[in-house]
Amino acid sequence: MNDDRDHDRQTFREAMRDVRRLRNTDKLPPSGPKPEPRARFTRADQAEVLKESLLPPTDEAALESGDELSFRRPHIPEGVLTKLRRGHYTVDAEIDLHGMTGAEAKAALREFITEAVVRRMSCVRIVHGKGRRSGPRGPVLKNVVNQWLQRIDAIQAFGSARQVDGGSGAVYVLLRVR
């Protein structure tokens, strides 16, 4: 048993041979200034979300529950959108908006997209549902996602997902990686 301990001590000493003890670690200056805290949502943003949620849809031709979504910026080739809709890009993260109101969905989307951009993700999936139980107003969350994503500069393109990933009840979103 002493041989095992001696062997362990010897192995430890060999592994620590080039290690030097730091002097006065309590008195060392911090490595740099801490970044300023930054609120993700300001009161103005929250008021804007509430105001937008009370407005009628900007697109008079509201989507049917089975309609597929498709959008790309003018500089994005059609082939990129086609690959996106076929699921050729790796999905880095996903959010499910089922059960949320329009205002809740916008807030959740804003936070989700902000986090995805900060983490330098290139493709995400948003599950919004098909809106089959939304009544005569049509698919509320689907319309919110369609309209709101087009307004975000970081969004390069989006299109309805493959059937296995939610079909017309979900979208793949291609983000600009900076």
Side-chain angles (χ1 to χ4, degrees), residues 2-177:
N2 281 340
D3 290 340
D4 289 339
R5 285 184 184 170
D6 290 340
H7 176 71
D8 289 345
R9 285 184 184 141
Q10 183 63 30
T11 304
F12 178 77
R13 284 187 182 125
E14 286 175 23
M16 297 293 124
R17 177 178 22 168
D18 296 327
V19 175
R20 302 278 182 230
R21 183 180 300 266
L22 292 175
R23 287 186 235 133
N24 298 328
T25 57
D26 293 338
K27 297 178 183 178
L28 290 177
S31 60
K34 290 184 180 180
E36 288 290 319
R38 197 173 49 147
R40 290 192 183 193
F41 294 101
T42 63
R43 287 181 196 252
D45 289 337
Q46 292 172 344
E48 180 184 339
V49 168
L50 179 59
K51 186 173 91 177
E52 285 179 12
S53 70
L54 297 174
L55 294 174
T58 56
D59 183 8
E60 291 300 321
L63 294 172
E64 297 287 330
S65 64
D67 290 345
E68 293 191 352
L69 299 180
S70 181
F71 169 81
R72 68 181 172 89
R73 302 270 176 221
H75 66 278
I76 301 295
E78 184 68 34
V80 170
L81 180 60
T82 302
K83 285 182 178 181
L84 180 66
R85 295 182 72 200
R86 289 181 181 168
H88 289 212
Y89 294 91
T90 301
V91 174
D92 299 314
E94 175 181 285
I95 185 172
D96 189 341
L97 304 175
H98 278 105
M100 293 185 190
T101 66
E104 291 169 341
K106 283 180 189 177
L109 270 175
R110 180 176 291 169
E111 186 171 348
F112 177 71
I113 296 297
T114 300
E115 186 68 24
V117 168
V118 167
R119 291 183 176 208
R120 303 179 57 86
M121 295 178 183
S122 59
C123 182
V124 296
R125 181 174 42 237
I126 299 170
V127 179
H128 49 70
K130 296 182 181 182
R132 291 195 174 135
R133 291 178 281 173
S134 295
R137 290 182 54 200
V140 175
L141 295 180
K142 187 173 188 173
N143 288 329
V144 166
V145 168
N146 183 40
Q147 293 169 16
W148 202 71
L149 288 180
Q150 292 182 40
R151 297 177 184 165
I152 301 173
D153 290 336
I155 307 297
Q156 296 297 299
F158 63 86
S160 291
R162 298 177 306 151
Q163 279 304 118
V164 69
D165 287 331
S168 63
V171 289
Y172 300 124
V173 180
L174 193 62
L175 300 168
R176 180 179 342 137
V177 180

